Amino acid sequence: MFDQACCWIDGSIVPAAEAKVSVFDHGFLYGDGVFEGVRFYNRKAFRLPLHLKRLQRSAAALQLAMPYDSGQMAQAVAETIAASPLADGYLRIIVTRGVGVLGINPATCKQPSVVIIADQLQMVSDAQRSQGVRAIIASTRRLTPDRLDSRIKSLNYLNAILARMEANYAGVEEAILLNDRGCVAEGTADNLFIVSDGVLLTPPATEGALAGITRQTVLELAEAGGIPAREAVLTPYDLYNADECFLTGTGAKLIPVREIDGRKMAACPGLRYQQLSQAFAALIEQETSAP
């Protein structure tokens, strides 16, 4: 299972099968920590500075002191990729509150811990990426910013897991979460875009969406390609009547959606998805190819 995985734990490279954290680590006990997912291609991390900046902001929101600065984190990522047998893969960067006593008080945790995992991640099959995935709108709602801001990429993913369980029970590949007002937030591990009357639309982070790196990249590619795009508050009605729908994320990359709650999209994969998917692949090649 872990043949191609390797780990960096608090300064040391460790074989994945031997990687361990303390049972008293509050990341393990309470989900008290933050993380980032980063793709690497040709042994180079894609858009790493943006990911590290978001990691720092998530940590700051939780008053979690980063034990390494950005330069040291970048070096740790480079060491992890160098130790990996993979030329292309996925990194999970985790920062936990560290070891403390039983009980939720974070003051007992004196030293945060950092773990970086390098492995493969495939969220959908090639056939699903080609044909599109089916989704439902979950009954599980995304938490509001006054409870837990969606821009904090924390280790607590139970909200998304419960929604994904609904998708499993429904026999489809993905679930879309709404916020407490019934407006669209995001997928279980990805941002959502629709195309309506030629305009690319995505919910703003204030509606419960993660401020996704791939989401922002797609918006930039749309602007560069002359595709009208903007943030917009969306409801299920907008999804049901969309010309196209697709999901974005570091793990997901770009995934077309062919059906939501039994309603088929007008096009899948649609023209805008194909244009942006090709532009995204070209950008990856441009930013990670050897000089």
Side-chain angles (χ1 to χ4, degrees):
M1 178 182 295
F2 307 117
D3 290 348
Q4 294 186 301
C6 71
C7 300
W8 185 99
I9 302 179
D10 294 326
S12 300
I13 295 292
V14 181
E18 300 173 17
K20 297 178 176 65
V21 297
S22 169
V23 295
F24 292 101
D25 190 299
H26 277 213
F28 171 74
L29 288 172
Y30 305 112
D32 188 359
V34 295
F35 80 96
E36 279 292 318
V38 182
R39 288 278 182 186
F40 64 93
Y41 304 92
N42 303 311
R43 294 195 169 277
K44 183 176 180 181
F46 181 60
R47 304 218 145 178
L48 181 62
L50 294 177
H51 283 284
L52 294 180
K53 184 175 182 179
R54 186 172 63 179
L55 183 71
Q56 291 170 337
R57 287 181 169 178
S58 292
L62 298 184
Q63 209 172 358
L64 172 55
M66 290 288 294
Y68 304 100
D69 63 26
S70 294
Q72 292 169 320
M73 290 295 295
Q75 179 59 35
V77 164
E79 291 173 8
T80 308
I81 294 174
S84 171
L86 303 169
D88 300 343
Y90 175 84
L91 299 168
R92 176 64 54 86
I93 306 173
I94 304 164
V95 183
T96 76
R97 187 79 64 180
V99 173
V101 302
L102 290 176
I104 66 169
N105 187 357
T108 68
C109 304
K110 303 304 182 185
Q111 179 61 42
S113 182
V114 176
V115 175
I116 305 175
I117 306 166
D119 201 1
Q120 295 177 323
L121 176 66
Q122 184 175 11
M123 291 184 60
V124 296
S125 67
D126 292 339
Q128 288 170 330
R129 194 178 298 279
S130 174
Q131 300 168 6
V133 298
R134 299 164 299 159
I136 59 166
I137 293 178
S139 63
T140 303
R141 296 297 177 99
R142 174 62 74 214
L143 296 176
T144 55
D146 63 328
R147 295 171 187 167
L148 182 62
D149 197 300
S150 62
R151 289 171 291 185
I152 301 172
K153 203 167 173 65
S154 79
L155 297 181
N156 185 344
Y157 255 49
L158 278 176
N159 201 231
I161 290 168
L162 290 171
R164 178 57 66 87
M165 289 169 63
E166 291 187 47
N168 292 345
Y169 297 146
V172 300
E173 293 78 43
E174 180 58 305
I176 297 165
L177 290 92
L178 308 180
N179 60 28
D180 64 332
R181 298 185 296 108
C183 297
V184 177
E186 60 183 355
T188 58
D190 29 56
N191 291 114
L192 178 142
F193 284 84
I194 64 168
V195 177
S196 181
D197 295 328
V199 180
L200 187 66
L201 304 172
T202 189
T206 50
E207 292 299 315
L210 176 72
I213 306 297
T214 307
R215 170 186 179 274
Q216 183 58 40
T217 300
V218 165
L219 289 171
E220 293 169 2
L221 290 171
E223 181 179 8
I227 299 172
R230 61 182 173 86
E231 293 183 336
V233 176
L234 305 174
T235 69
Y237 175 90
D238 298 304
L239 305 190
Y240 297 155
N241 287 283
D243 300 319
E244 301 179 38
C245 179
F246 60 90
L247 307 168
T248 66
T250 297
K253 302 180 188 177
L254 276 68
I255 301 174
V257 176
R258 61 185 169 96
E259 180 182 299
I260 300 174
D261 281 348
R263 284 89 161 173
K264 296 186 183 301
M265 296 294 102
C268 182
L271 175 62
R272 295 308 191 200
Y273 167 82
Q274 294 180 63
Q275 292 172 325
L276 291 165
S277 183
Q278 291 169 7
F280 186 68
L283 181 67
I284 290 171
E285 181 65 23
Q286 174 187 328
E287 293 192 1
T288 63
S289 60

